[in-house]
């Protein structure tokens, strides 16, 4: 069986995998789901350190799964330790040595919500923390972008636990010099209202040369369809 290192997205925590991990255990897999350090100047390198520290010694067939902004740490982990496969789950895909805000400038269709890349880029330039009274993480935004297909009680429980997000990870150059020689899979959600599915298809096949798996639903399948996501990860682990 595989060991899944689960990397949450921006403003979230390891808690967001709480409906998925019992399904992975039921299928016989191990997992870790650390909280990423969000205080500036922590960026993708520090995120990767937290992920690697969460993987127990002797774990084999490690599959690194990055959701949303957590995708920035996936190739960093794979550059520092033996990894069986990289999985990008509705995730950002970095370019070695290039800041995310520059990637977004080159690829303005990356996010499905109009104006978000410009707003975040402005916050990154100013050094502010996303989520400290910022309307980007209002209930209305989170409901539409992250949790549009979830029952309201589940969505509100997740929203209430969102964390302030430092901006260093947006502005820093991606801390790898070259893409790791590790196979990749991209899982996109066809109704994703956060990361644009059309961008995901294009980048997965072009930049990653990855297998592409499409699931129905919105940006947070670990809440919306945990059994289906676990079964998908199980199939990936089985090759």
């Amino acid at each position: 069986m595989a060991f899944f290192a689960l990397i949450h997205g921006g403003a979230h925590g390891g808690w967001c995998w709480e409906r998925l991990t019992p399904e992975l255990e039921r299928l016989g897999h191990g997992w870790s789901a650390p909280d990423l350090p969000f205080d500036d100047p922590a960026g993708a390198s520090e995120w990767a350190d937290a992920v690697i520290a969460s993987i127990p010694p002797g774990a084999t067939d490690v599959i690194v799964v990055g959701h949303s902004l957590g995708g920035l740490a996936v190739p960093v982990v794979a550059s520092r330790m033996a990894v069986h496969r990289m999985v990008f789950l509705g995730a950002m895909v970095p370019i070695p040595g290039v800041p995310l805000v520059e990637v977004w400038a080159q690829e303005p269709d990356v996010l499905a919500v109009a104006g978000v890349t410009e707003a975040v880029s402005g916050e990154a330039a100013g050094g502010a923390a996303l989520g400290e009274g910022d309307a980007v993480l209002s209930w209305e935004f989170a409901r539409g972008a992250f949790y549009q297909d979830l029952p309201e009680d589940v969505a509100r429980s997740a929203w209430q636990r969102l964390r302030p997000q430092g901006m260093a990870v947006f502005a820093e150059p991606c801390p790898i010099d070259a893409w790791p020689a590790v196979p990749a899979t991209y899982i996109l959600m066809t109704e994703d209202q956060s990361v644009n599915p059309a961008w995901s298809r294009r980048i997965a096949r072009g930049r990653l040369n990855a297998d592409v798996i499409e699931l129905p639903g919105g940006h947070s399948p670990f809440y919306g369809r945990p059994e289906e996501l676990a079964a998908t990860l199980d199939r990936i682990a089985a090759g």
Side-chain angles (χ1 to χ4, degrees), residues 147-213:
Y147 313 129
Q148 87 267 20
D149 58 344
L150 305 185
E152 182 166 343
D153 61 332
V154 175
R156 282 193 178 274
S157 175
W159 171 67
Q160 289 168 353
R161 287 181 281 177
L162 294 180
R163 304 159 56 203
Q165 168 72 61
M167 304 307 294
V169 75
F170 297 94
E172 67 173 6
C174 173
I176 57 173
D177 298 323
W179 203 259
V182 176
T185 298
Y186 197 107
I187 303 173
L188 67 86
M189 283 62 71
T190 57
E191 287 78 53
D192 197 329
Q193 294 298 310
S194 185
V195 177
N196 183 357
W199 175 88
S200 296
R201 290 187 192 97
R202 186 180 76 248
I203 296 303
R205 291 171 178 143
R207 186 177 305 157
L208 282 177
N209 191 28
D211 299 328
V212 180
I213 297 172

Side-chain angles (χ1 to χ4, degrees), residues 25-111:
E25 290 178 2
R26 183 177 60 81
L27 294 168
H29 301 296
W31 59 273
S32 65
D35 289 340
L36 302 180
F38 278 168
D39 292 340
D40 288 331
S45 182
E46 289 76 17
W47 291 8
D49 288 342
V51 174
I52 292 169
S54 75
I55 299 171
T60 58
D61 293 332
V62 175
I63 296 176
V64 184
V65 182
H67 176 247
S68 197
L69 198 62
L72 299 179
V74 170
V76 185
V77 174
S79 296
R80 296 181 180 177
M81 65 171 288
V83 167
H84 183 65
R85 181 168 287 269
M86 301 182 291
V87 177
F88 296 82
L89 178 63
M92 297 291 103
V93 179
I95 298 175
V98 179
L100 183 61
V101 290
E102 292 186 17
V103 175
W104 283 357
Q106 297 170 24
E107 300 165 1
D109 63 333
V110 58
L111 296 185

